[in-house]
Amino acid sequence: MLLITGATGKMGGIVIETMLKNGISSNQIVALVRDEDKATALKAKGIDVRIGDYDNRHSLDEAMKGIDKVLLVSGLDTSKLVEQHRNVTDAAKGAGVKCLAYTSNCLKDRETLVNNIMRTHFETEDLIIASGMNYLIFRNVLYMDSMAGYMLGKDVLEKGINLPAGDGSVSYALRSDEAEAIGNVLSTDNCASRIFNFTNTRTYSFEDVANALSELSGKTVTYTPLTMDIYIAEARTKGVPKHALEMIAPFYTDIANGQGSTVSTDLEEALGRKPVDLKSGLKLLLNL
């Protein structure tokens, strides 16, 4: 029995769909959700839905009964991620789970990270490894999907890309590709205590992003690397709250410092094909 946390989210949902396509029976999959009303589609597929919350250890203990393998999808509450992940890890160990998998983040050097939130991934990895359970750690590179969200902005084709990321490059991959790869790995019996670096086959700078957008849109899109002071000042004039900037600014500093520049063949091998490249991904994400 394999329990997927965050089963109604984008990552968990694709993982489950992939496993079903791979021939894993729905009665072998358990979905952990906080809101049962959002799990009707999972129930319709014959999947056992259990209610649990990362903050509620008792609910996790109950949900883990009879489970052999767990996929811990990283939580969203950045103020208590490690505590929440410890609850899941301890509940899994207490229930005799044989394999604990985790959606981590692919970062080059934990010792030089500026973004403290990203450090929680390494701290969670430490917890899992120290637990003594076999593990599968999926270090997912920054989602290309972020481009369609907060990174580029809705007016990117008119105003260009203006970010404090220097000439840093990232091996962006689509979240759907990373989730599919995780589903493929979990569909096997292998749990050999391995760390996967799920990245694209090359890195992309924001100059590359601008060039791809120019080709796709027929407009000239430029990338202007800003200093952090100018970026923060401009963001504040647009009404971005101070606490939000305190979270976002280190993120771009880490990109500039090459934290997202790891390149590995792990994702391609787990997919059985090349990951979607930048241009194709942007076309899909931005409807270009």
Side-chain angles (χ1 to χ4, degrees):
M1 296 290 284
L2 196 157
L3 182 143
I4 309 294
T5 74
T8 56
K10 293 177 180 178
M11 170 65 73
I14 296 173
V15 169
I16 290 174
E17 284 301 317
T18 300
M19 294 178 65
L20 292 172
K21 288 177 182 177
N22 287 342
I24 304 299
S25 172
S26 60
N27 61 21
Q28 294 180 270
I29 301 173
V30 175
L32 184 75
V33 303
R34 288 185 299 173
D35 186 349
E36 192 172 5
D37 292 338
K38 294 181 180 180
T40 53
L42 294 172
K43 288 183 178 180
K45 292 173 179 158
I47 293 172
D48 180 10
V49 173
R50 301 183 186 180
I51 309 304
D53 190 300
Y54 291 172
D55 291 315
N56 186 329
R57 175 61 191 276
H58 176 71
S59 72
L60 295 172
D61 289 337
E62 290 297 309
M64 296 287 179
K65 290 180 177 178
I67 298 298
D68 303 299
K69 185 184 293 186
V70 172
L71 172 64
L72 167 56
V73 176
S74 178
L76 299 175
D77 189 340
T78 57
S79 67
K80 50 184 176 180
L81 279 181
V82 177
E83 178 184 344
Q84 290 180 331
H85 294 168
R86 180 181 288 108
N87 285 339
V88 177
T89 302
D90 289 348
K93 184 174 182 178
V97 168
K98 298 180 178 65
C99 178
L100 179 56
Y102 173 59
T103 59
S104 189
N105 200 287
C106 189
L107 298 159
K108 203 158 194 177
D109 183 2
R110 69 185 294 176
E111 301 302 326
T112 58
L113 270 176
V114 175
N115 190 336
N116 288 326
I117 294 172
M118 293 296 103
R119 293 180 187 274
T120 62
H121 288 294
F122 288 110
E123 292 169 15
T124 298
E125 290 182 14
D126 293 341
L127 283 174
I128 292 171
I129 293 170
S131 74
M133 288 180 284
N134 285 355
Y135 58 84
L136 298 169
I137 293 174
F138 302 110
R139 288 181 175 170
N140 296 326
V141 76
L142 179 62
Y143 299 147
M144 201 183 297
D145 309 53
S146 302
M147 300 280 186
Y150 61 91
M151 290 180 72
L152 298 183
K154 295 180 181 179
D155 55 359
V156 63
L157 298 183
E158 287 71 38
K159 295 187 177 181
I161 304 170
N162 304 281
L163 294 172
D167 59 359
S169 61
V170 178
S171 51
Y172 303 99
L174 285 178
R175 173 169 38 208
S176 56
D177 273 356
E178 300 192 47
E180 181 183 334
I182 291 171
N184 286 341
V185 174
L186 293 179
S187 296
T188 71
D189 293 329
N190 182 34
C191 188
S193 293
R194 178 179 170 185
I195 295 175
F196 295 83
N197 288 311
F198 280 166
T199 76
N200 219 312
T201 56
R202 56 156 292 188
T203 61
Y204 302 97
S205 68
F206 279 107
E207 190 70 40
D208 294 322
V209 175
N211 290 338
L213 289 174
S214 297
E215 292 176 23
L216 289 167
S217 68
K219 300 180 179 180
T220 300
V221 180
T222 59
Y223 167 52
T224 303
L226 303 179
T227 65
M228 186 59 72
D229 288 344
I230 291 176
Y231 170 75
I232 290 174
E234 291 185 356
R236 292 304 302 274
T237 62
K238 295 176 183 177
V240 179
K242 182 179 178 181
H243 71 273
L245 280 172
E246 289 174 349
M247 293 176 60
I248 296 171
F251 168 81
Y252 287 118
T253 299
D254 282 336
I255 289 179
N257 291 342
Q259 286 286 0
S261 62
T262 296
V263 173
S264 167
T265 60
D266 290 350
L267 181 58
E268 181 177 356
E269 290 168 3
L271 287 171
R273 60 171 173 80
K274 285 192 176 296
V276 173
D277 63 21
L278 178 71
K279 188 175 178 180
S280 300
L282 289 174
K283 182 177 181 180
L284 175 68
L285 294 167
L286 300 177
N287 298 312
L288 294 172

